[in-house]
């Protein structure tokens, strides 16, 4: 397979541009990621700031003016949102827009979108140095509503609640969407101070996947950051904890038809540890695919659920198992999930299972190149944990050479920490 | 002879190849120079097809059977697992059922043609027994319970109950725990033998497939299908709502709404359908899109947030616009939506708004030709409606001020229905 053509450029302290040439899509993908250590305060402020930035700027002071500017750029999608990778809070401004070849009047959509991003990021709507009160109040409400909306997807809500209880004393417990009460208490002064901190202190990773004239973006990024005095503090590594002596059990209720079981495991294997590759293959084998042990046994053999899967958090050293089940089957499901983990730990894995899991993981890495936003998130997650020139090909080689014993050894690092159960009576 | 014919659209820089296989299956190949391939093998059979005639024998099947059948086709007579067959080739497979179609798919970065053979083979080899049917009832019951707790799904189902008096579009794709308990291996075979006729199916491939190898895979697996004829029970749908509103209570963070504007103008040839789709997309962008006066004023007043979006849903026999979002005051959103429809008809629109919306919809449409999976799914849906997705850009270019004005004139604000979910129940620890 061809190497991904990645070029990395560093500008001011902690500001880099990663550029990947791609002709696959008819659109370009440009994203600005600002990273700070995750905690409840940063999360609440980032969440509101993302809303403030995406709804106004000095040049386009109301939502309609800003939206009309985007509509005229062939409906360029420009949005800001917040997320977390391990114990790092990320505020992202991302843009998807037509390549210049599709412009009807020969204009450069790329240059105009970049200029608009510059307006949004560097010239927010301020009055006397403050975000206007009305704007602030509205976007605080929108951010708080967003944070509360996790409740509407019950599986996501159950996973969030597990994280909050299992990691209660760790940064990782903070919801990157912010706590509603904390969001509502923020003042315009605090938000302006946070905005300045973000520009000056956050790590800023910019990604471009698509087609652009040579050096255009390098020059544009340099110009954008040239007047900033940066004092970047390197991001701390996520705290790795071991599981308690006995498993914590948490029970909650809501008026629901289906019950939700989430199990949290700890592992010391995190990126960039080379052994993380074995854990990621172990996950595919255990519960990360439709031919995994959990799917084949908990769902297909025992008919206990429709959804069951496992997924690791590569930076934090945790792995989650989720299953949507009937409340009465809680113990049956837990027992079977432990049984299947034990099977992987003991190397009870057929040749077919092992090669299926490997093929699926390799295929996912090979497919990356076809999706611009997947390329960008692949790069961001690796770069943030110190991998300087991330290449899917390097990971492909590492996975190809994995043995069954290495995968079982990775599975043996998984120790259960907390079992969370959300159930309800009849509505 | 199976000669592929090329169809080109220069406007979007896309082309596809078409052939009808000797078995009766229509094949559409959209070549892409990527390492990822996507294949979609579908039948024009969905939840809507619940009442039909086989050789003059009237058949009425339980709700949810098309979806159940989709699940059961993954079962193989030799006991092998379909997901693992694909995984062995490095491919991932899946399937979906909607009101009007069922489709099976895979994506792969190697072994494209081998994976295609597996796809064709498992979909054309049904194997149902009372035991395997019973096993699936447990799994699907959990899927149904998941939907019962899913506010988006429930909002949408509630809205369909308001919009349609008789049209089978309102049938719940998943069915109920009770309805699927009536499914037997025999009813599954009845439906399979009726609708999984290759002449009622199509194969859409997007990616680096090779024509000869595609045909070779088809030759190897597919047998000539018998003639296909199907008579549906005919339904008359009145130009009225079944109900104006439905309200329900769920554990959600704030009230959720789905408003639906029912259309009475349906039918016509594929070109008419595409014109209607293009006009409606522009009209919705103009009056309800992110840069519209409607969105802007309701957003400023805090009545809607970023989650608000209009979607046009259409088949050949029914169509409506869905306005979905969340709001502390969903009734006010309904009123403003109603007023906006009325005013749009009375006051029209400016040239500037028309040009901007046309450009915005053009941008979104070009963008929809990005991902192979998205292209293939849209292509197949359009094909089952008798239309060609690749002519949609031309339909968009044809939209004029006059045609847009006529389209808006067909909106009937009194056919606007609302489905609302209000919050209930605070989470608590035991």
């Amino acid at each position: 397979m061809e190497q991904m053509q990645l070029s990395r450029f560093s500008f001011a302290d902690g500001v880099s541009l990663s550029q990947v040439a791609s002709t696959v899509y008819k659109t370009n993908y440009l994203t600005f990621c600002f990273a700070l250590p995750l905690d409840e305060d940063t999360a609440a402020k980032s969440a509101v700031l993302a809303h403030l930035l995406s709804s106004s700027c000095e040049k386009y002071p109301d939502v309609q003016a800003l939206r009309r500017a985007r509509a005229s750029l062939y409906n360029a999608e420009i949005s800001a949102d917040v997320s977390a990778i391990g114990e790092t809070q990320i505020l992202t401004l991302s843009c998807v827009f037509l390549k210049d070849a599709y412009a009807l009047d020969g204009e450069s959509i790329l240059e105009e979108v970049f200029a608009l991003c510059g307006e949004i990021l560097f010239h927010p709507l301020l009055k006397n140095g403050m975000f206007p009160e009305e704007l602030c109040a509205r976007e605080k409400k929108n951010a708080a509503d967003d944070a509360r909306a996790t409740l509407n997807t019950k599986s996501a809500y159950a996973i969030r609640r597990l994280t909050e209880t299992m990691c209660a004393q760790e940064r990782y417990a903070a919801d990157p969407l912010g706590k509603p009460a904390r969001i509502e208490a923020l003042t315009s002064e605090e938000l302006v101070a946070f905005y300045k901190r973000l520009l000056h202190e956050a790590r800023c990773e910019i990604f471009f996947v698509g087609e652009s004239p040579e050096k255009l973006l390098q020059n544009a990024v340099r110009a954008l950051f040239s007047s900033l005095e940066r004092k970047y503090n390197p991001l701390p590594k996520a705290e790795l904890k071991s599981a308690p002596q006995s498993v914590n059990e948490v029970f909650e209720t809501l008026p629901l038809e289906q019950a939700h079981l989430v199990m949290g495991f700890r592992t010391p294997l995190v990126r960039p540890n080379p052994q993380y590759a074995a854990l990621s293959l172990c996950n595919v084998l255990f519960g990360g695919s439709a031919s995994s042990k959990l799917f084949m046994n908990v769902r297909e053999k025992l008919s206990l659920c429709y959804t069951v899967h496992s997924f690791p958090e590569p930076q934090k050293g945790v792995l989650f198992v989720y299953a949507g089940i009937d409340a009465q089957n809680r113990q049956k499901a837990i027992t079977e999930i432990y049984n299947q983990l034990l099977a992987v730990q003991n190397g009870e894995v057929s040749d077919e299972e092992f090669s299926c899991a490997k093929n699926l993981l390799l295929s996912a890495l090979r497919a990356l190149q076809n999706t611009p936003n997947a390329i960008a998130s692949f790069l961001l997650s690796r770069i943030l944990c110190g991998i300087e020139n991330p290449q899917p090909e390097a990971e492909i080689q590492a996975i190809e050479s994995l043995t069954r014993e290495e995968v079982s050894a990775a599975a043996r690092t998984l120790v259960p920490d907390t079992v969370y159960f959300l159930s309800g009576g009849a509505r | 002879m199976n000669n592929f014919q090329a169809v080109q659209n220069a406007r979007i820089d896309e082309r596809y190849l078409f052939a009808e296989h000797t078995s009766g299956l229509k094949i559409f190949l959209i070549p892409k120079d990527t390492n990822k391939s996507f294949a979609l093998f579908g039948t024009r059979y969905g939840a809507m097809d619940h009442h039909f005639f086989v050789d003059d024998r009237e058949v009425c099947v339980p709700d949810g059977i098309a979806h159940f059948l989709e699940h059961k086709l993954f079962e193989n007579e030799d006991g092998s697992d379909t997901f693992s067959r694909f995984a062995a080739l490095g491919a991932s497979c899946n399937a979906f059922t909607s009101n009007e179609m069922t489709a099976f798919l895979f994506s792969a970065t190697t072994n494209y043609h081998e994976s295609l053979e597996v796809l064709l083979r498992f979909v054309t080899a049904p194997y149902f027994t009372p035991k395997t049917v019973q096993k699936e009832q447990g799994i699907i019951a959990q899927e149904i319970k998941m939907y019962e707790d899913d506010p988006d799904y429930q909002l949408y189902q509630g809205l369909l109950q308001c919009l349609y008096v008789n049209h089978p579009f309102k049938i719940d794709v998943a069915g109920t725990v009770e309805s699927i308990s009536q499914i037997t291996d025999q009813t599954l075979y009845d439906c399979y033998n009726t609708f999984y006729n290759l002449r009622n199916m199509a194969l859409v491939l997007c990616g680096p497939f090779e024509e000869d190898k595609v045909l070779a895979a088809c030759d190897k697996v597919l047998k000539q299908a018998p003639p296909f004829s199907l008579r549906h029970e005919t339904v008359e749908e009145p130009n009225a709502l079944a109900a104006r509103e439905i309200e329900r209570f769920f554990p959600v963070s704030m009230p959720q709404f789905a408003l639906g504007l029912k259309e009475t103008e349906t039918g016509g040839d594929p070109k008419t359908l595409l014109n209607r789709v293009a006009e409606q997309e522009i009209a919705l962008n103009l009056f309800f899109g992110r840069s519209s006066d409607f969105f802007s004023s309701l957003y400023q007043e805090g009545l809607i947030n970023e989650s608000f979006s209009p979607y046009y849903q259409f088949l050949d026999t029914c169509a409506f616009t869905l306005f979905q979002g969340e709001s502390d005051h969903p009734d006010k959103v309904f009123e403003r939506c109603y007023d906006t429809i009325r005013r749009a008809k009375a006051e029209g629109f400016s040239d500037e708004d028309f040009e901007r919306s046309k450009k915005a919809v053009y941008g979104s449409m070009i963008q929809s030709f990005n991902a192979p999976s998205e292209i293939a799914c849209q292509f197949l849906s359009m094909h089952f409606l008798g239309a060609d997705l690749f002519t949609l850009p031309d339909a968009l270019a044809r939209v004029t001020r006059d045609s847009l004005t006529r389209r808006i004139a067909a909106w009937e604000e009194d056919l606007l229905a609302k489905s609302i979910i209000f919050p209930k129940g605070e989470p608590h620890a035991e």
Side-chain angles (χ1 to χ4, degrees):
Chain A
M1 190 180 75
E2 275 179 47
Q3 285 271 102
M4 184 170 71
Q5 296 304 313
L6 166 67
S7 315
R8 295 255 302 148
F9 309 96
S10 288
F11 301 92
D13 192 19
V15 179
S16 305
L17 165 70
S18 305
Q19 199 167 340
V20 177
S22 169
T23 56
V24 175
Y25 274 18
K26 293 176 164 52
T27 47
N28 284 320
Y29 183 76
L30 170 69
T31 170
F32 296 79
C33 303
F34 294 88
L36 285 167
L38 174 67
D39 58 47
E40 282 191 359
D41 183 59
T42 306
K45 289 172 178 168
S46 300
V48 180
L49 187 61
H51 277 87
L52 287 169
L53 295 181
S54 57
S55 61
S56 60
C57 63
E58 196 177 86
K59 189 169 176 187
Y60 303 108
D62 63 58
V63 69
Q64 189 167 34
L66 186 54
R67 293 312 171 83
R68 289 199 161 167
R70 284 172 39 188
S72 300
L73 292 170
Y74 303 91
N75 234 13
E77 279 179 20
I78 302 180
S79 59
D81 58 30
V82 287
S83 58
I85 294 182
E87 293 185 343
T88 302
Q89 170 90 26
I90 321 270
L91 185 153
T92 308
L93 181 75
S94 52
C95 319
V96 181
F97 49 98
L98 292 194
K99 286 182 173 170
D100 290 348
Y102 296 96
L104 295 170
D105 304 314
E107 68 269 40
S108 170
I109 305 171
L110 170 59
E111 285 179 43
E112 290 185 39
V113 167
F114 197 93
L116 183 53
C117 289
E119 294 292 334
I120 290 170
L121 288 172
F122 287 84
H123 305 284
L125 181 64
L126 298 176
K127 277 189 187 146
N128 306 321
M130 294 292 140
F131 290 109
E133 267 318 310
E134 197 188 333
L135 172 71
C136 220
R138 188 185 68 214
E139 297 309 331
K140 272 161 49 179
K141 178 177 187 320
N142 284 335
D145 286 345
D146 266 6
R148 289 193 190 98
T150 303
L151 173 68
N152 303 344
T153 308
K154 300 303 177 281
S155 54
Y157 175 77
I159 292 163
R160 171 104 297 272
R161 290 294 302 135
L162 170 92
T163 307
E164 285 170 0
T165 46
M166 172 165 147
C167 304
Q169 305 306 318
E170 300 153 66
R171 284 178 180 277
Y172 189 61
D175 184 344
L177 300 178
K179 268 209 163 108
R182 209 152 180 144
I183 288 171
E184 281 153 359
L186 289 171
T187 64
S188 179
E189 287 86 343
E190 287 174 298
L191 287 162
V192 171
F194 178 75
Y195 164 68
K196 289 182 178 158
R197 179 180 162 218
L198 189 90
L199 282 191
H200 292 97
E201 295 176 25
R203 169 117 180 218
C204 178
E205 289 291 337
I206 303 158
F207 299 93
F208 178 81
V209 185
E211 294 173 77
S212 154
E214 206 185 345
K215 296 207 172 153
L216 184 141
L217 284 163
Q218 285 176 63
N219 293 336
V221 173
R222 185 171 296 115
L224 207 52
F225 284 85
S226 61
S227 58
L228 266 191
E229 265 184 51
R230 296 268 306 165
K231 8 170 230 232
Y232 160 65
N233 293 319
L235 293 161
K237 281 196 171 150
E239 178 190 4
L240 297 185
K241 278 186 82 166
S242 37
Q245 289 292 318
S246 63
V247 177
N248 287 321
E249 294 198 326
V250 182
F251 294 86
E252 291 185 337
T253 60
L254 271 178
L256 295 175
E257 294 295 326
Q258 192 179 39
H260 303 263
L261 171 70
V262 195
M263 300 167 73
F265 296 81
R266 301 270 188 181
T267 168
L269 301 182
V270 289
R271 274 193 199 119
N273 184 338
Q275 288 174 58
Y276 178 76
L279 186 79
S280 92
L281 181 54
C282 160
N283 174 62
V284 178
L285 189 63
F286 173 48
S289 80
S291 45
S292 67
K293 287 199 177 276
L294 292 184
F295 193 91
M296 295 307 296
N297 292 285
V298 185
R299 171 173 151 151
E300 293 296 313
K301 205 172 267 174
L302 300 180
S303 299
L304 289 176
C305 57
Y306 169 69
T307 310
V308 60
H309 58 99
S310 66
F311 56 101
E313 189 353 299
Q315 258 84 323
K316 175 60 186 166
V318 291
L319 182 139
F320 302 107
V321 172
Y322 168 82
I325 58 173
D326 236 22
Q328 61 183 16
N329 291 329
R330 176 180 176 273
Q331 198 48 53
K332 235 191 239 175
I334 292 174
T335 306
E336 189 60 18
I337 290 165
Y338 282 141
N339 282 343
Q340 295 309 320
L341 179 61
L342 196 64
V344 183
Q345 290 173 331
N346 291 340
E348 291 160 23
V349 174
S350 71
D351 289 344
E352 194 198 358
E353 284 175 309
F354 189 68
S355 69
C356 278
K358 223 182 213 187
N359 286 337
L360 284 175
L361 189 53
L362 292 172
S363 197
L365 283 163
R366 290 191 183 110
L368 264 180
Q369 297 206 11
N370 301 300
T371 320
N373 60 346
I375 295 177
S377 45
F378 171 87
L379 293 173
L380 177 66
S381 57
R382 273 68 176 176
I383 288 168
L384 285 183
C385 63
I387 300 170
E388 258 311 303
N389 180 24
Q391 281 291 341
E393 187 54 35
E395 294 192 16
I396 286 170
Q397 282 171 13
I399 285 155
E400 271 172 343
S401 69
L402 285 172
T403 65
R404 223 177 311 198
E405 178 41 38
E406 286 172 298
V407 172
S408 292
R412 289 195 291 272
T413 68
L414 292 168
V415 183
D417 183 307
T418 301
V419 175
Y420 172 86
F421 194 62
L422 176 68
S423 63
R427 202 168 5 245
Chain B
M1 282 292 286
N2 274 312
N3 287 329
F4 276 97
Q5 296 167 348
V7 179
Q8 191 106 18
N9 188 313
R11 208 185 285 272
I12 48 167
D13 189 22
E14 291 281 352
R15 74 187 180 108
Y16 70 83
L17 304 166
F18 166 72
E20 185 163 337
H21 185 251
T22 48
S23 61
L25 179 69
K26 292 187 174 67
I27 307 169
F28 301 90
L29 167 50
I30 305 163
K32 288 276 167 191
D33 185 23
T34 58
N35 73 352
K36 188 170 181 175
S37 67
F38 185 86
L40 196 59
F41 186 23
T43 170
R44 190 176 179 170
Y45 167 53
M48 270 170 38
D49 303 287
H50 70 137
H51 194 173
F52 50 92
F53 297 84
V54 183
D55 304 330
D56 287 336
R57 178 167 62 96
E58 188 172 359
V59 182
C60 204
V61 291
D63 285 357
I65 194 165
H67 172 249
F68 200 99
L69 181 51
E70 171 229 299
H71 270 241
K72 281 328 293 167
L73 280 176
F74 282 84
E75 200 97 35
N76 299 305
E77 191 166 2
D78 63 5
S80 68
D81 175 62
T82 299
F83 290 105
S84 302
R85 283 195 198 173
F86 280 102
L89 296 166
S92 308
C93 69
N94 211 334
F96 62 87
T97 307
S98 63
N99 296 81
E100 72 285 7
M101 66 185 269
T102 310
F104 301 82
L105 57 97
F106 74 79
S107 65
T109 53
T110 51
N111 303 316
Y112 315 124
H113 303 94
E114 292 82 348
S115 302
L116 175 60
E117 202 182 309
V118 175
L119 177 71
L120 296 173
R121 215 176 272 287
F122 93 83
V123 176
T124 54
Y127 174 70
F128 318 124
T129 67
K131 201 177 152 202
T132 62
V133 168
Q134 196 189 357
K135 183 204 88 174
E136 207 65 28
Q137 277 159 347
I139 297 173
I140 296 183
Q142 284 306 318
E143 187 177 1
I144 290 170
K145 287 184 176 178
M146 180 175 86
Y147 297 138
E148 283 174 353
D149 287 335
D150 180 345
D152 283 345
Y153 192 92
Q154 294 304 325
L155 266 180
Y156 186 72
Q157 284 306 323
L159 184 65
L160 295 181
Q161 303 315 309
C162 291
L163 288 174
Y164 295 106
V165 179
N166 298 319
H167 199 289
F169 195 76
K170 69 177 181 177
I171 293 173
D172 188 335
V173 173
T176 62
V177 173
E178 206 279 317
S179 75
I180 63 162
S181 72
Q182 297 163 22
I183 294 172
T184 64
D185 51 335
Q186 195 48 54
T187 50
L188 288 175
Y189 277 118
D190 271 350
C191 290
Y192 183 88
N193 292 330
T194 306
F195 292 101
Y196 284 69
N197 179 312
L198 294 172
R199 297 181 199 281
N200 187 45
M201 299 175 77
L203 177 66
V204 181
L205 306 167
C206 192
F209 289 96
E210 294 168 43
E211 295 152 55
D212 292 347
K213 291 184 178 170
V214 168
L215 290 178
C218 291
D219 288 346
K220 211 164 153 185
V221 180
L222 305 178
K223 294 184 188 71
Q224 195 175 7
F228 177 74
S229 72
L230 179 73
R231 192 156 61 85
H232 268 104
E233 180 220 24
T234 45
V235 285
E236 282 289 320
E237 177 61 28
N239 288 343
L241 297 173
R244 163 82 54 192
E245 60 182 89
I246 181 168
E247 290 183 359
R248 299 172 70 186
F249 294 85
F250 279 71
V252 290
S253 59
M254 67 191 283
Q256 317 277 309
F257 64 84
L259 314 180
L261 178 63
K262 181 174 175 173
E263 281 185 24
T264 51
E265 191 188 311
T266 55
D269 59 19
K271 192 174 169 188
T272 309
L273 175 77
L274 287 176
N275 286 345
R276 198 153 61 212
V277 171
E279 288 157 7
Q280 186 75 0
E281 292 293 350
I282 294 174
L284 290 176
N285 183 282
L286 204 158
F287 288 101
F288 295 98
R290 295 294 159 106
S291 55
S292 66
D293 292 339
F294 173 88
F295 185 91
S296 162
S297 56
L298 272 75
Y299 185 89
Q300 309 266 16
E301 291 167 46
L303 284 175
I304 54 173
N305 59 26
E306 286 281 338
S307 69
F308 179 84
S309 217
Y311 307 92
Y312 189 47
Q313 314 258 295
F314 57 93
L315 290 182
D316 41 1
T317 56
C318 65
F320 67 96
T321 298
L322 168 69
F323 303 92
Q324 193 164 348
E326 48 186 33
S327 173
D328 290 327
H329 306 284
D331 290 327
K332 284 190 187 161
V333 178
F334 176 87
E335 283 163 27
R336 298 285 285 274
C337 195
Y338 183 93
D339 287 344
T340 303
I341 294 166
R342 232 164 26 108
R343 290 224 323 275
K345 288 160 64 176
E347 295 167 16
F349 48 87
S350 71
D351 286 338
E352 192 194 341
D353 287 352
F354 174 63
E355 291 305 327
R356 188 182 47 249
S357 288
K358 201 170 169 179
K359 204 171 174 185
V361 173
Y362 165 80
S364 301
M365 189 211 47
I366 297 279
Q367 211 184 111
S368 73
F369 283 93
N370 267 343
S373 54
E374 201 180 332
I375 301 172
C377 289
Q378 289 189 78
F379 195 98
L380 187 62
S381 307
M382 282 291 189
H383 169 68
F384 283 149
L385 297 177
D388 179 352
L389 175 70
F390 282 32
T391 61
L392 183 58
D394 304 322
L396 191 65
R398 279 197 297 271
V399 178
T400 61
R401 275 196 63 99
D402 286 349
S403 68
L404 196 67
T405 305
R406 280 195 300 276
R407 170 104 279 264
I408 294 162
W411 288 353
E412 294 180 45
E413 63 272 19
D414 289 322
L415 296 185
L416 184 68
K418 60 180 168 185
S419 168
I420 302 176
I421 285 178
F422 288 103
K424 177 209 182 183
E426 286 294 308
H428 65 269
E430 276 182 351

